[in-house]
Amino acid sequence: MTATQATPVSEQEARRVAEAARDQEWSKPSFAKELFLGRYRLDLIHPHPVPDEETVRRGERFLARLREFCETSVDGALIEREARIPDEVIRGLKELGALGMKIDPAYGGVGLSHLYYNRALALVGSVSPAVGALLSAHQSIGVPQPLKTFGTEEQKQRFLPRCARSDISAFLLTEPDVGSDPARLGATAVPDGDDYLLDGVKLWTTNGVIADLLVVMADVPAGAGHRGGITAFVVEADSPGITVENRNAFMGLRGIENGVTRFHQVRVPAANRIGEEGAGLKIALTTLNTGRLSLPALCVGAGKWSLKIARQWSETRVQWGKPVAKHEAVGSKISFIAATTFAMEALLDLSCEMADEERHDIRIEAALAKLYGSEMAWRIADELVQIRGGRGYETAESLAARGERGVPAEQLLRDLRINRIFEGSTEIMHLLIAREAVDTHLKAAGDLIDPEKSFNDKRKALFRAGGFYARWLPGLAAGRGHVPLTYGDFRVSGFADLSTHLRYAERTSRKLARSTFYAMSRWQGKMERKQRFLGRVVDIGAELFAMSAACVRAERMRRTGDRGKEAYELADAFCRQARLRIEELFTALWHNTDGIDRRVARSVLAGRHTWLEEGVLDPSSEGPWIADATAGPSRKENLHRTID
């Protein structure tokens, strides 16, 4: 087997690798973790965290400069048309300091908080999602973030000033046959004296075509003096043996510099290794804990723009004697866009400020923000296209050519679609969040439901589980959600009553925990295969988190005199909409088509329904489903380019 072919591994080994990369401890409180356990700890998020004055001043100053640059120097239509970000735009971003938004001023960066960094991404992404993706990939998952947490001081001194001002970075984990299953990683880094020799092929390397520095994940073989395992390295992009073999093109984000990168005997100094050998996946997951917040930031920007266009267009377009906005069918869509955008921003801002305070473990909150933002922004964009009708389907360039305002609604739909896939697809996010949500249960009763454990192990686990559930289960029977007039802070004369929604959230949190416990009792070790059930559990939790964030944000705005009345109205509308979705999800927990769907899927895969595929022609080109990733020297032209 060649070095970069995906290594076949068992299901147990894949699970072991994933578990080893998880942070096993919860040293800080987590609102979302408690929510899934049926403990609705509103005190963890209310009163809403508030940034200090210096953070606000620094952030607002930078946003003002960035806004001016975007208005005068970034032509989103040009980037879409030419499928490339002009070099002068990237140079301008460097001069502005946008490459170093999250980097500490001690290393030449701007030093923005998570809150203002993500507001900056929302602003940039509204002009050009491709530029937003470039900045996000560089700082959220590229070299700066893993070095900030795991790098040595010497590494920070060497690389962070470059990342802050001049060098673009990229993150390379995915391979042609390896996505969310890193146990099968094919890229290798073989120790050679004080260096490592890197071989492999990496796919979908955002920024990889123009990057100066790379974070590369590769498997180090275990041996004398080497622990081995998946390891992270900082690699100079112009090192001999690196070839960018392809610049990929996509249905959206047409300007991103995303490619296929081959490594052949690339010499990487041991001093460029981030952390210890074998710590690569842990570094990647920890980086994503806050790095994932960049995607919902771009989604919030999309929601804000969609609301603006929906409002202006629906006031202008007249059908049957009145503006379409006054027809209930369209008005309900506008309400959904407005309320959901408010909730997405509330959820994002709350998660960012908790990350800035560093008093909470936000691994679940950040994952929920990514999941919820990507799914709801896609729905918002779809509704915007529907509101615009035929003009929503028409390109902005075509609209402008015939004399109308060039509104890129169809582009928004294409650009947002990837958010449901990368940095953890919706399906993977469901499983990841579900694993964290049931962590307490697995610690208490994991051996009891593990079919591979011995009778003695199960007997010991029974005593542990008995002690935990004797304390936990009684708390699920009743709580503040059953007590009238609780959450009085959110019941204000003259405003919509949000306290009723918080009581619902508290009751529903306990109901969700009971449902999860019942499912674990029913399916035991087989529960991990009930992916659709787990997905619905996570979606309910996401809705409850968003409801809570919306209410807390509305109350903060009321207290500060910042559009409090309007905020309460939006929070109320959102919570009512969310409650309908939650009830549908609860019904689907136990009344669904999961069983028949599994049977039909097996039949299809067994070839019993190929007759249904007859009568069409397949326009796909010939070729393998997965490209060859055999190790060796490149036979293609190097498409890497440097932007000075």
Side-chain angles (χ1 to χ4, degrees):
M1 176 168 291
T2 54
T4 55
Q5 289 177 324
T7 305
V9 297
S10 67
E11 183 178 351
Q12 291 76 13
E13 175 62 14
R15 188 184 299 114
R16 185 195 66 78
V17 171
E19 278 296 302
R22 283 184 60 249
D23 188 345
Q24 304 290 328
E25 301 301 323
W26 292 85
S27 59
K28 298 178 181 179
S30 165
F31 173 80
K33 177 175 178 286
E34 295 295 307
L35 185 151
F36 281 108
L37 284 170
R39 299 191 288 240
Y40 190 66
R41 294 284 309 280
L42 191 67
D43 60 294
L44 292 177
I45 61 173
H46 174 66
H48 196 292
V50 178
D52 61 71
E53 293 182 2
E54 176 54 31
T55 296
V56 173
R57 280 195 295 268
R58 180 186 296 131
E60 292 296 339
R61 282 198 303 266
F62 184 81
L63 285 182
R65 293 166 52 215
L66 182 63
R67 175 180 289 275
E68 181 182 4
F69 176 80
C70 289
E71 289 176 340
T72 59
S73 303
V74 181
D75 186 340
L78 175 68
I79 294 171
E80 173 70 7
R81 186 166 59 251
E82 298 187 353
R84 176 162 293 181
I85 302 171
D87 288 2
E88 56 267 27
V89 171
I90 298 177
R91 293 191 191 100
L93 292 170
K94 292 180 180 182
E95 293 172 3
L96 187 66
L99 296 187
M101 288 188 286
K102 285 185 72 177
I103 297 175
D104 193 286
Y107 303 105
V110 179
L112 294 184
S113 63
H114 287 94
L115 178 68
Y116 275 97
Y117 166 68
N118 285 302
R119 285 182 177 177
L121 289 181
L123 174 63
V124 172
S126 67
V127 180
S128 169
V131 176
L134 182 150
L135 293 174
S136 171
H138 165 67
Q139 291 172 89
S140 298
I141 58 175
V143 171
Q145 189 61 34
L147 279 191
K148 176 183 177 181
T149 307
F150 295 96
T152 65
E153 183 57 34
E154 188 273 337
Q155 289 173 332
K156 294 175 183 178
Q157 294 287 351
R158 282 174 59 204
F159 296 120
L160 290 184
R162 292 169 57 183
C163 292
R165 291 292 176 183
S166 60
D167 289 14
I168 296 171
S169 69
F171 176 82
L172 283 64
L173 171 62
T174 304
E175 299 178 1
D177 197 22
V178 178
S180 299
D181 185 7
R184 302 170 60 244
L185 202 70
T188 60
V190 178
D192 184 53
D194 292 332
D195 302 330
Y196 293 84
L197 292 179
L198 184 59
D199 285 274
V201 178
K202 296 294 184 179
L203 176 63
W204 297 324
T205 59
T206 301
N207 290 353
V209 180
I210 59 173
D212 305 286
L213 290 171
L214 314 171
V215 174
V216 182
M217 298 291 170
D219 189 31
V220 176
H226 290 277
R227 171 188 173 187
I230 298 173
T231 306
F233 300 89
V234 178
V235 181
E236 299 281 356
D238 61 357
S239 300
I242 299 181
T243 306
V244 176
E245 295 187 333
N246 194 65
R247 182 177 185 268
N248 303 325
F250 303 98
M251 68 181 289
L253 295 182
R254 287 170 48 80
I256 64 171
E257 301 287 350
N258 181 295
V260 176
T261 303
R262 177 180 292 272
F263 300 86
H264 176 60
Q265 295 288 286
V266 177
R267 190 165 291 276
V268 182
N272 285 26
R273 187 187 69 221
I274 307 175
E276 300 298 323
E277 288 183 355
L281 286 183
K282 185 178 181 65
I283 290 171
L285 289 177
T286 303
T287 295
L288 286 171
N289 279 346
T290 55
R292 281 197 176 98
L293 293 175
S294 63
L295 286 187
L298 295 169
C299 292
V300 167
K304 288 174 175 286
W305 180 79
S306 296
L307 179 60
K308 176 179 183 293
I309 297 301
R311 174 181 57 81
Q312 293 179 339
W313 166 249
S314 299
E315 289 175 334
T316 302
R317 176 65 164 162
V318 174
Q319 289 281 277
W320 297 303
K322 59 183 177 181
V324 295
K326 295 186 178 181
H327 291 283
E328 188 177 78
V330 174
S332 64
K333 297 181 186 297
I334 294 173
S335 173
F336 167 76
I337 293 173
T340 306
T341 297
F342 176 82
M344 287 196 307
E345 186 172 41
L347 193 156
L348 173 66
D349 284 3
L350 178 61
S351 299
C352 286
E353 292 190 31
M354 287 195 293
D356 287 328
E357 285 192 339
E358 298 183 345
R359 292 191 297 110
H360 300 83
D361 186 325
I362 67 158
R363 73 183 88 163
I364 300 181
E365 286 83 350
L368 287 172
K370 188 274 178 189
L371 170 69
Y372 198 76
S374 60
E375 288 294 323
M376 300 308 279
W378 168 256
R379 293 192 201 179
I380 286 173
D382 188 56
E383 294 289 26
L384 175 64
V385 168
Q386 192 70 18
I387 290 171
R388 289 273 292 160
R391 290 172 174 83
Y393 193 68
E394 190 173 1
T395 68
E397 187 174 21
S398 177
L399 288 165
R402 60 181 184 79
E404 291 192 3
R405 183 175 299 188
V407 178
E410 61 82 29
Q411 180 191 335
L412 182 73
L413 200 62
R414 290 186 288 105
D415 288 339
L416 284 174
R417 186 60 183 83
I418 188 57
N419 292 338
R420 299 176 63 216
I421 299 173
F422 69 4
E423 290 190 26
S425 69
T426 291
E427 293 72 23
I428 292 299
M429 295 306 297
H430 277 150
L431 298 182
L432 183 152
I433 297 167
R435 173 61 187 86
E436 298 292 357
V438 300
D439 186 55
T440 300
H441 294 288
L442 293 179
K443 286 180 178 177
D447 289 351
L448 195 61
I449 63 176
D450 189 340
E452 297 181 5
K453 294 298 182 179
S454 67
F455 175 77
N456 285 334
D457 288 335
K458 289 179 180 291
R459 186 175 60 181
K460 294 175 183 177
L462 180 61
F463 287 106
R464 290 197 304 270
F468 169 74
Y469 289 116
R471 297 187 303 272
W472 178 69
L473 283 171
L476 300 182
R480 297 185 69 194
H482 284 108
V483 180
L485 305 182
T486 52
Y487 303 108
D489 289 354
F490 299 85
R491 189 178 61 259
V492 182
S493 177
F495 288 71
D497 184 3
L498 300 185
S499 68
T500 183
H501 301 309
L502 294 176
R503 288 194 294 276
Y504 172 86
E506 195 276 340
R507 294 193 304 273
T508 307
S509 171
R510 286 184 283 107
K511 181 180 178 181
L512 181 61
R514 291 194 300 269
S515 299
T516 305
F517 174 74
Y518 172 69
M520 291 184 65
S521 303
R522 176 180 175 181
W523 293 314
Q524 299 184 31
K526 296 179 181 179
M527 184 165 169
E528 66 178 23
R529 301 182 187 277
K530 304 294 183 179
Q531 295 180 357
R532 294 185 71 183
F533 177 90
L534 293 172
R536 296 179 190 113
V537 166
V538 169
D539 286 340
I540 292 170
E543 294 283 8
L544 292 175
F545 182 30
M547 286 177 62
S548 306
C551 291
V552 169
R553 184 184 186 216
E555 174 56 12
R556 172 183 168 181
M557 293 177 69
R558 185 192 70 82
R559 287 182 179 273
T560 59
D562 181 21
R563 299 286 186 181
K565 194 91 168 181
E566 293 88 342
Y568 258 63
E569 179 182 48
L570 289 174
D572 182 45
F574 172 77
C575 287
R576 293 175 185 274
Q577 295 167 10
R579 288 169 69 161
L580 293 177
R581 293 190 292 267
I582 289 171
E583 293 308 309
E584 290 179 0
L585 286 165
F586 266 116
T587 298
L589 282 180
W590 311 111
H591 304 282
N592 52 62
T593 61
D594 294 355
I596 185 62
D597 292 341
R598 285 193 295 271
R599 293 194 292 275
V600 169
R602 286 196 294 267
S603 294
V604 170
L605 294 175
R608 292 199 290 271
H609 296 300
T610 54
W611 54 270
L612 191 58
E613 302 166 9
E614 296 172 2
V616 297
L617 296 174
D618 185 353
S620 309
S621 66
E622 294 297 321
W625 287 103
I626 298 172
D628 181 34
T630 304
S634 179
R635 296 178 178 84
K636 296 185 177 181
E637 175 189 357
N638 189 3
L639 301 181
H640 181 265
R641 60 191 180 93
T642 302
I643 301 174
D644 298 321

